[in-house]
Amino acid sequence: TNATPGVFTWTGHGLLSGCTIQFTSGTTTTPALNTTYWVNVTGTNTFNIATSLANLQAGTYVTTSGISGNLTCTNLEITINSLLAIA
């Protein structure tokens, strides 16, 4: 929706709060296409976005505008490396 904050609906999105996404096509003023945003999951099918991890943690979400029709969204891959000590 065009709202403050913007609420996105993606049926069964499977996203986790803190993951990153990009909108890759569609008609929109905000959010910008091909820009990384951080996700705040608000429901099984809904979420808000923030422009940085710090804004996500502060609860500062993007106000959406100029959205017409559907947007294409890509869930960016997250790679986590950890070093484990084996005793």
Side-chain angles (χ1 to χ4, degrees):
T1 61
N2 293 313
T4 304
V7 177
F8 295 87
T9 301
W10 178 358
T11 303
H13 57 69
L15 300 171
L16 298 173
S17 288
C19 74
T20 54
I21 60 171
Q22 287 186 352
F23 298 94
T24 55
S25 68
T27 302
T28 180
T29 302
T30 306
L33 299 180
N34 303 311
T35 299
T36 300
Y37 294 97
W38 282 255
V39 171
N40 172 55
V41 173
T42 58
T44 303
N45 301 317
T46 57
F47 58 94
N48 309 111
I49 57 172
T51 57
S52 67
L53 181 57
N55 283 344
L56 176 69
Q57 292 169 329
T60 305
Y61 306 117
V62 171
T63 296
T64 53
S65 66
I67 297 175
S68 175
N70 294 321
L71 296 174
T72 301
C73 180
T74 300
N75 183 5
L76 302 178
E77 182 178 327
I78 298 173
T79 302
I80 299 173
N81 294 318
S82 62
L83 300 173
L84 302 175
I86 300 175

